[in-house]
Amino acid sequence: QVQLVQSGAEVKKPGASVKVSCKASGYTFTDYYLHWVRQAPGQGLEWMGWIYPNSGGTKYAQKFQDRVTMTRDTSISTVYMELSSLRSDDTAVYYCARVKGPRDYWGQGTLVTVSS
Amino acid sequence: EIVLTQSPGTLSLSPGERATLSCRASQSISSTNLAWYQHKPGQAPRLLIYYTSSRATGIPDRFSGSGSGTDFTLTISRLEPEDFAVYYCQQYGSSPFGGGTKVEIK
């Protein structure tokens, strides 16, 4: 069965960077785009971008263009989302997701807390 | 980047009632590119509708999507208790989500 398993919670100081991983299993890793979505406390969903593991190609939301980097390691079927110059309003649950109709699969979410 | 505007922000309805949610795009979207998601607190979002009107796997037929161009609609024909949640539209995996519509119990 398809599974996306994310790395554990992180606590970071303002200005630091965080790198969240998402390990895929149960399907051919290079066949599907993987997306990153976050939700800050009390806020709506924010789409951050996608990575296509086959080529490593990426597309980022304009809001995160200057601070986010998505990469992959095909040898271990894992994608990474790194967010730099963290601010307090980056405190959120970060999800990776494989969404291609009619099925979607989501990681369990990773809480990133930014606090001094 | 396309901006999606959802309305209303909150919809207060009773179980059994019909819910109509709107999503308006800042420019025309291909009908193959509009999706709807449901999100409940503490859970991952769930894909409801893709390609504007196709139901995702396991989604009951009380959920339906329609629209074209810049105006899209999600309809829940008869609200069940488990349908009270926040709903988001998105240009399928390539743009920010709309601001969401919260469907709450009246």
Side-chain angles (χ1 to χ4, degrees):
Chain A
Q1 72 284 21
V2 174
Q3 281 193 300
L4 300 173
V5 178
Q6 298 180 221
S7 50
E10 302 262 13
V11 179
K12 295 291 183 181
K13 294 192 181 303
S17 296
V18 68
K19 192 171 187 177
V20 180
S21 67
C22 171
K23 182 173 177 60
S25 61
Y27 72 97
T28 302
F29 177 65
T30 50
D31 280 357
Y32 294 88
Y33 291 77
L34 282 168
H35 301 260
W36 288 91
V37 173
R38 77 176 191 181
Q39 186 180 37
Q43 303 299 309
L45 297 178
E46 288 190 288
W47 176 76
M48 300 180 70
W50 55 249
I51 181 167
Y52 186 46
N54 190 310
S55 62
T58 56
K59 178 174 181 176
Y60 303 141
Q62 284 183 7
K63 175 177 179 175
F64 300 102
Q65 185 80 38
D66 296 336
R67 296 197 296 136
V68 73
T69 304
M70 297 177 189
T71 56
R72 93 296 193 206
D73 184 339
T74 56
S75 69
I76 56 171
S77 300
T78 299
V79 296
Y80 303 90
M81 186 284 300
E82 184 170 21
L83 189 62
S84 63
S85 303
L86 289 169
R87 308 183 288 255
S88 58
D89 61 0
D90 290 316
T91 294
V93 177
Y94 291 76
Y95 295 99
C96 62
R98 194 195 98 175
V99 180
K100 183 174 173 63
R103 297 301 306 267
D104 61 328
Y105 300 91
W106 296 74
Q108 80 276 21
T110 296
L111 174 62
V112 175
T113 302
V114 182
S115 173
S116 55
Chain B
E1 197 170 65
I2 288 177
V3 175
L4 299 174
T5 302
Q6 292 187 240
S7 61
T10 302
L11 205 48
S12 298
L13 295 168
S14 300
E17 290 194 291
R18 182 185 187 90
T20 303
L21 288 66
S22 173
C23 175
R24 177 162 290 178
S26 58
Q27 60 192 82
S28 184
I29 295 176
S30 165
S31 60
T32 59
N33 285 351
L34 199 285
W36 290 91
Y37 297 80
Q38 179 191 68
H39 193 208
K40 296 180 181 180
Q43 298 181 18
R46 179 170 73 149
L47 178 68
L48 294 176
I49 300 287
Y50 65 102
Y51 295 175
T52 296
S53 59
S54 297
R55 275 186 298 278
T57 300
I59 301 304
D61 61 7
R62 64 180 180 272
F63 290 91
S64 63
S66 63
S68 65
T70 60
D71 291 301
F72 298 87
T73 300
L74 174 70
T75 302
I76 311 170
S77 59
R78 294 172 309 279
L79 283 164
E80 297 287 341
E82 61 269 26
D83 299 337
F84 292 92
V86 183
Y87 293 85
Y88 297 89
C89 60
Q90 190 200 24
Q91 184 186 11
Y92 204 24
S94 63
S95 77
F97 292 94
T101 292
K102 181 180 182 181
V103 179
E104 65 176 22
I105 299 176
K106 186 175 181 181

